[in-house]
Structures are given as structure tokens and as C-alpha cells.
Amino acid sequence: MEQQTQQQIEDGGNNQAAGTNNRWAPTPPQLRILKGLYYDKGFKYPTPEQIQEICLHLKQYGQIEDKNVFFWFQNLKARERQKLKEFQNVPVGGSLDLNFGSTSSTDDGRSIDLNFGSRVGYGVDGSIMEQRGEYHQEIETLPLFPMHGEDIFGNMKTTSEGGSGYGGDSRISLELSLNSYGNADIA
Amino acid sequence: MEQQTQQQIEDGGNNQAAGTNNRWAPTPPQLRILKGLYYDKGFKYPTPEQIQEICLHLKQYGQIEDKNVFFWFQNLKARERQKLKEFQNVPVGGSLDLNFGSTSSTDDGRSIDLNFGSRVGYGVDGSIMEQRGEYHQEIETLPLFPMHGEDIFGNMKTTSEGGSGYGGDSRISLELSLNSYGNADIA
DNA sequence: TTGATATGAATGAACG
DNA sequence: CGTTCATTCATATCAA
């Protein structure tokens, strides 16, 4: 997720615009801390309590709400997983005939230099939803292999987190020391 | 259409890396195929597998990645919808309104209020927020973020109401010690 | 050159 | 949690 040079005009703190600004955007410090938690610490499943704590702490660096923290983690987890899923998925030998309509093989002649070095992450998605239209035209010979089991990426979901199942007053203290040196690759 | 060519703002310390990003641009054949799928076939919701397959086939006509296909469909769908919505908003009557900077001219209709303030579950999804019966406000004082840890850079975090507050923090040493009690320490 | 437009890309928010 | 929507940022291209 290396953004190019996207520098959002975040309100240095509480410079909320005339209220027309509805979408939260993490300030660099906030982002740094969040990423530190997620990556450096592997903190991916914060409990509601922790979310609030994090949020409270992040309020020093700008307006933020619990739900922002919550969504942030949700999105990051989802997109990380999507990325993995994509790489693991190998194109089936299926033949999706894209040369419908015009069979003319018009040479494009446009050569784009090889830009290796894939950089950005993204979120490929897609879903088989009902088409709004009336037409249910199947796509050529799209096989859509019945193969499942893409759960190869272990779901180490610590479902029982969040203090559900702590025997007695067992309290865990995890201490996290993350040293982030500025220049976080905002992403 | 609401992008006002907003350019970079003065960075308070964030250096802007040189942008050598060459974003993908569909070659004519690629575009033809994509449009054919979208319009002619009404194929608007490709699955990740289909995205990969489409991408694979499009590689014959130029460099392309899965994410490009993904974004292409996403953007097209979003913009079709956007245009449609705008069209409905356009005053047909003879109202000479030069108000281009319409910030939420019409009711967004999005008023899903998530009650995140309360710890009682994040109704938005139902993932990790298994909350147990005993919620106590005490958790708000959990030493998740020791204050001392911020001393290093706490000075510049002013984020005063002056606008851009956060300065370019170089590094931090954040020590997070969160103590998760068995939820109800009384148990 | 400057401003506007089209569109690739990123991500916050929400749905099922 | 996976998927989809909506908004925004950034840049290439084009018109004047």
C-alpha cells in the first residue's frame, strides 16, 4: 500500500470543517500508531475495550471516534486477506472468451514498458450478486471451477479475545513498545 | 466532478516523495473488452476469480494487473451511479444556480448512527465484539497508553486549534501496556 | 501555462 | 468477515 504522495489535508486536530466533512481521515500520528499496533505488534483483533482505549489515546492527534478505529482494523484485515487470497488463486485454465462481439484482432501496438516491481496493494474484490438487469447472460465459457477450500490461509482468529473466557481475574498485560521512526509510508 | 484540482498543501514536515507513478491505462483492445463485458454483457460484478481470468486474457494487449481490472469495474459502477444521481438532482426548472461547489446539496440519506459510544457491542457487524455481560466503565482508565510514553514527542502534538497542528514527529517510543482484566475483575 | 475534465487508485464506511 | 458502495486524492490529457 504505497501511496504515491497522497497527503491528505488532515485537520491538525480539531479543525473540523463546517461540519460538511463527514469522512474521517487518520492523521499521520494516528496512522503511525495504528499501524504500529497492527503490524509491529500483530494487534489485529482489538476488543471493544481496547478500541476505546486506542481511540482515546488517538484523540490527542485529531478528531476520532471509536468506530473509526473499529473500521480501520476491519478494513485492514479484510484487505490484507484479500491480497493473500488473490495471490494464492491461480487462474484456472478456463477459457473466458473475451473476444466476443468483434473478432477483429486489432493490434493495439501500444507497448507499455514493463513496470515490474509491483507496489501497491489493493483490494481486488468481486462478488456474484444478482444482476439488476433482467438479463442473465452467462459469460461465455467461464468455468468457475467448483473448487473451494481457499481457507488455506489459516484463520487464526482469536475469537475468544476480548475478555470472553478469562478464567477468573486473569489479567493479561501485554506491553508494547513500538518505535516508529517518522516517515511512515502512509498507507 | 467535485475535484477541484486540489493541489498539495504545505506540508508541515512531511516530505513529498517524487511521484514516479505510472498509473495503468487501458489499451484500446483492453478497453474494448472491458466495455464489452460491462455493457454488452452486463457483467458488472466479476468475482475475484473472474477478475484474474479477465486480467490474464487482457495481458495479451498490454501490461495489466488484477487490481486494474478490479478498479476499472469499481470505478465504472460507481460513476455510472454517480452520474445518475447527479442527473436527478439537477434542477430542471429555470433556476440559474451557479452553485457548483455543492457540498452535499441534497440529503445524503446516510444517517446510520452507530452507537459506538457505548461499549455494548458494535452492532455494525458482529465480529469480534463479543461482549460479555459485565461491562464496567472502569476500562476507560486502562493504562493502555501510558502517558509518559508520549513525552518524547508530546510537545509538538499540540494540534492546537490553529489548523495544522501535528508536526512532523520523528520518532516515538510508545509503550503500550494494556491490562485486560477478566472483564469483571470482581469475578 | 492554466484550469477543467476523465479516470486510475486509495480508503473510510456500510451491508448481508 | 467478505464484499460492495461512496468519497476523495492524484494525475494524464485536453481545451482555451
Side-chain angles (χ1 to χ4, degrees):
Chain A
M1 290 170 167
E2 306 63 32
Q3 296 183 188
Q4 32 279 99
T5 53
Q6 182 176 350
Q7 175 63 347
Q8 165 65 5
I9 312 171
E10 95 317 308
D11 311 306
N14 43 10
N15 185 350
Q16 184 67 291
T20 50
N21 188 6
N22 11 328
R23 186 166 130 162
W24 166 77
T27 64
Q30 286 174 343
L31 195 62
R32 189 197 65 242
I33 292 172
L34 287 169
K35 292 175 75 171
L37 286 169
Y38 189 91
Y39 292 110
D40 298 337
K41 206 286 167 194
F43 212 62
K44 312 198 175 175
Y45 299 91
T47 67
E49 298 84 36
Q50 292 165 340
I51 285 178
Q52 290 181 75
E53 273 304 306
I54 295 168
C55 179
L56 189 64
H57 180 80
L58 292 180
K59 279 186 175 166
Q60 299 174 113
Y61 309 103
Q63 204 278 324
I64 189 173
E65 298 174 54
D66 289 350
K67 67 176 184 180
N68 303 129
V69 176
F70 172 76
F71 282 137
W72 191 89
F73 276 91
Q74 285 287 98
N75 280 318
L76 192 53
K77 278 187 294 186
R79 283 167 179 144
E80 288 282 302
R81 186 163 292 174
Q82 272 186 348
K83 238 170 294 187
L84 292 178
K85 173 152 54 170
E86 178 197 334
F87 282 124
Q88 77 179 28
N89 263 326
V90 183
V92 294
S95 55
L96 174 63
D97 185 19
L98 302 169
N99 299 312
F100 53 89
S102 62
T103 54
S104 61
S105 58
T106 54
D107 285 341
D108 54 302
R110 174 169 178 172
S111 301
I112 301 178
D113 65 312
L114 301 182
N115 188 343
F116 67 95
S118 55
R119 54 280 175 229
V120 271
Y122 62 106
V124 257
D125 92 66
S127 119
I128 312 175
M129 289 183 67
E130 17 313 41
Q131 301 285 337
R132 278 95 168 120
E134 313 59 55
Y135 45 81
H136 174 60
Q137 188 164 356
E138 54 196 275
I139 307 305
E140 303 314 308
T141 57
L142 191 65
L144 279 182
F145 49 96
M147 174 181 171
H148 286 70
E150 66 275 326
D151 290 330
I152 57 176
F153 50 85
N155 265 12
M156 47 187 96
K157 180 183 193 300
T158 55
T159 319
S160 57
E161 79 303 53
S164 62
Y166 291 105
D169 61 310
S170 65
R171 71 174 172 190
I172 357 176
S173 318
L174 62 154
E175 302 175 63
L176 166 113
S177 313
L178 60 96
N179 302 348
S180 303
Y181 300 87
N183 67 66
D185 56 330
I186 305 163
Chain B
M1 284 210 181
E2 42 275 54
Q3 62 268 33
Q4 56 276 27
T5 60
Q6 173 242 335
Q7 200 49 246
Q8 178 76 354
I9 59 168
E10 34 77 31
D11 49 40
N14 295 292
N15 50 3
Q16 180 178 5
T20 29
N21 308 41
N22 279 1
R23 72 178 190 181
W24 166 79
T27 63
Q30 288 174 342
L31 194 60
R32 176 182 61 78
I33 293 171
L34 287 169
K35 283 185 174 179
L37 285 170
Y38 189 90
Y39 292 111
D40 298 339
K41 304 208 171 271
F43 198 61
K44 314 198 176 174
Y45 298 90
T47 65
E49 292 76 32
Q50 291 168 335
I51 284 178
Q52 292 177 81
E53 196 161 337
I54 292 168
C55 179
L56 183 66
H57 286 256
L58 290 180
K59 280 183 177 169
Q60 304 173 93
Y61 307 103
Q63 210 271 336
I64 189 174
E65 297 176 51
D66 290 345
K67 65 175 186 179
N68 304 129
V69 177
F70 167 75
F71 283 135
W72 191 89
F73 276 92
Q74 286 293 103
N75 282 319
L76 192 54
K77 277 189 296 185
R79 274 153 189 158
E80 290 272 301
R81 202 180 184 99
Q82 184 184 208
K83 296 299 180 188
L84 194 64
K85 194 165 74 173
E86 286 182 9
F87 200 65
Q88 296 174 346
N89 285 337
V90 173
V92 284
S95 62
L96 259 66
D97 188 11
L98 302 179
N99 186 359
F100 291 94
S102 62
T103 55
S104 71
S105 54
T106 58
D107 186 354
D108 58 335
R110 286 280 179 213
S111 59
I112 300 177
D113 184 64
L114 304 172
N115 194 335
F116 278 91
S118 59
R119 71 189 72 284
V120 200
Y122 295 79
V124 287
D125 80 336
S127 55
I128 52 167
M129 72 280 208
E130 11 285 79
Q131 191 72 35
R132 251 188 307 125
E134 201 41 44
Y135 353 101
H136 213 273
Q137 311 302 100
E138 283 250 283
I139 60 175
E140 295 182 358
T141 55
L142 278 174
L144 195 122
F145 293 100
M147 211 164 112
H148 64 278
E150 306 300 307
D151 293 291
I152 318 172
F153 57 100
N155 296 331
M156 87 279 276
K157 56 82 183 169
T158 46
T159 63
S160 351
E161 309 68 49
S164 58
Y166 74 95
D169 44 354
S170 323
R171 72 170 185 280
I172 52 161
S173 294
L174 179 138
E175 302 179 75
L176 173 136
S177 352
L178 62 91
N179 306 333
S180 302
Y181 301 89
N183 160 329
D185 46 325
I186 56 175

